[in-house]
Every structure is written in C-alpha cells, then in structure tokens.
Amino acid sequence: MKIFHLINKLWNKIIGSIYGKLSPVGYARWIGVNMGKNVRIYGSSYNMFGTEPWCITLGDNVHITRDVLFICHDGGSLLFRNEIPDLEITAPITVGNNVYIGVRSILLRGVNVGDNCIIAAGSVVSKDVMTGSVVGGVPAKLIKPIEEYKQGIMSKSLHLGHLKGKEKDKELRKLFKYNS
C-alpha cells in the first residue's frame, strides 16, 4: 500500500511539473485555482500556488510572471502543534482584475489585491493592496497611484507594444543598434 502511494505521489509530481510548464494556466485550473478570463502565467505554474490552491482567486486580465508564490498559510504555526494540536492559520488570497504581478513576488495569506494594480518584482505582499496602486518592496508599500505610473511610462514608450515575436525583436534591434 505504501509503495502504491509513493508511486502515485511521484507520478503526480512528474505530471504536474510537465503540465505546469506546458500549460501554466491549465495546470493552475486543474489544481483548483479560481480564475477569471484572460489570466496569463509566464513560466511554470508548478509549485506557484502552494498547498491550498483552491484558496486563491484571480480576477480577469491577471498577469503573473516567473517564480511568483502564493502562500495561503502560516507554516510557523507547526512549531506549536505539540502544545496546540488544532492550531491552523490559513486564509484565502484574492487578486482583482487588471493586475500585474512582477517576477519573484510573494503574496501571503489573507491578502486582497484590488483592481488595476501593479506589484513590483521581488515584493512581499503581506497587507491588502488598494485598487489603482503600484506597490513594491519588502514588505510591499505604496509606490504611486496607477495613473501616475501610466503617465510616466507613456512619455517613455517605444511604441512597439503592438508588435509580437520576431517582428518586435527586429524593431528593438534596429532601435538599439544591435546587429548580431
């Protein structure tokens, strides 16, 4: 019986790892993440959603970059289980619509991210993020309102966002005079 359990666990790990790379959104849905429309996950989603993926809700038009983690529980509570056997600290994570989550960010238990938000790369989000905010840091704090961010990037735009793949690469190489 134990060997069957071990083989099953190993099989699920291998399949999950492959599925998480080949279809990050499909894998996330398969493990129980609640998702809206047009969710994009850049990179593998395997291990991204922790041990309680069903506690995570993603709105519409959410962009999640590489190595982001969603952690719905407080593992530190394990230190006290001998003393308090039923101790459990778990809370859902909710992400609104039109949200971008930067590389290697961590969203912790109980966090609610409003609509139209950007979470900067490497941030640790331990408190709610207000609608229309750009946050960053450890712990994440307000950097600026999203409208201020938008105004700043509009003036710096290369006006190539509508291009894709090789066509975009070609124009970037030309712009930056990169010939090799």
Side-chain angles (χ1 to χ4, degrees), residues 12 26 32 49 51 73 76 101 103 110 112 116 119 134 145 174 179:
N12 284 337
F49 297 103
T51 54
H73 63 273
I101 304 172
V103 171
N112 293 299
N116 304 311
I119 298 171
V134 177
K174 188 177 2 172
N179 297 322

Side-chain angles (χ1 to χ4, degrees), residues 1 11 26 31 37 49-50 54 58 62 68 71 84 105 110 118 120-121 124 133 140 148 150 153 168:
M1 191 63 131
W11 175 256
I31 62 172
K37 298 177 194 137
F49 297 103
W54 54 88
L58 306 174
V62 174
V68 169
I71 303 172
I84 312 164
S105 292
I118 296 172
V124 176
S133 299
E148 187 178 322
K150 180 180 168 185
I153 64 171
K168 186 175 184 177

Side-chain angles (χ1 to χ4, degrees), residues 1-177:
M1 191 63 131
K2 281 186 178 184
I3 195 123
F4 177 74
H5 181 69
L6 185 62
I7 291 169
N8 191 40
K9 194 171 186 176
L10 185 61
W11 175 256
N12 284 337
K13 189 173 246 189
I14 292 167
I15 295 301
S17 177
I18 293 168
Y19 192 18
K21 287 177 185 166
L22 295 177
S23 178
V25 171
Y27 175 74
R29 285 187 201 280
W30 183 58
I31 62 172
V33 177
N34 303 291
M35 283 191 224
K37 298 177 194 137
N38 196 33
V39 172
R40 308 268 173 146
I41 299 174
Y42 305 95
S44 176
S45 62
Y46 183 69
N47 285 334
M48 179 179 279
F49 297 103
T51 54
E52 302 87 16
W54 54 88
C55 284
I56 299 163
T57 301
L58 306 174
D60 297 336
N61 198 37
V62 174
H63 297 259
I64 304 169
T65 57
R66 192 170 56 81
D67 298 332
V68 169
L69 294 175
F70 293 81
I71 303 172
C72 293
H73 63 273
D74 184 341
S77 65
L78 293 172
L79 298 177
F80 306 103
R81 287 270 174 86
N82 289 338
E83 183 183 339
I84 312 164
D86 65 348
L87 184 62
E88 178 65 36
I89 306 296
T90 299
I93 297 171
T94 303
V95 176
N97 300 317
N98 301 313
V99 175
Y100 177 88
I101 304 172
V103 171
R104 294 198 173 117
S105 292
I106 301 171
L107 285 79
L108 298 176
R109 67 179 164 79
V111 165
N112 293 299
V113 177
D115 296 338
N116 304 311
C117 292
I118 296 172
I119 298 171
S123 297
V124 176
V125 181
S126 59
K127 294 189 165 115
D128 288 355
V129 177
M130 289 185 342
T131 290
S133 299
V134 177
V135 300
V138 179
K141 292 183 170 62
L142 179 66
I143 296 172
K144 61 179 79 173
I146 194 104
E147 283 303 315
E148 187 178 322
Y149 173 82
K150 180 180 168 185
Q151 292 303 315
I153 64 171
M154 283 172 48
S155 66
K156 297 174 186 170
S157 176
L158 302 175
H159 302 287
L160 301 174
H162 63 290
L163 302 176
K164 302 285 183 238
K166 290 182 180 182
E167 187 181 11
K168 186 175 184 177
D169 286 349
K170 178 182 169 189
E171 291 302 315
L172 286 169
R173 288 174 190 272
K174 188 177 2 172
L175 183 68
F176 294 122
K177 298 172 177 52

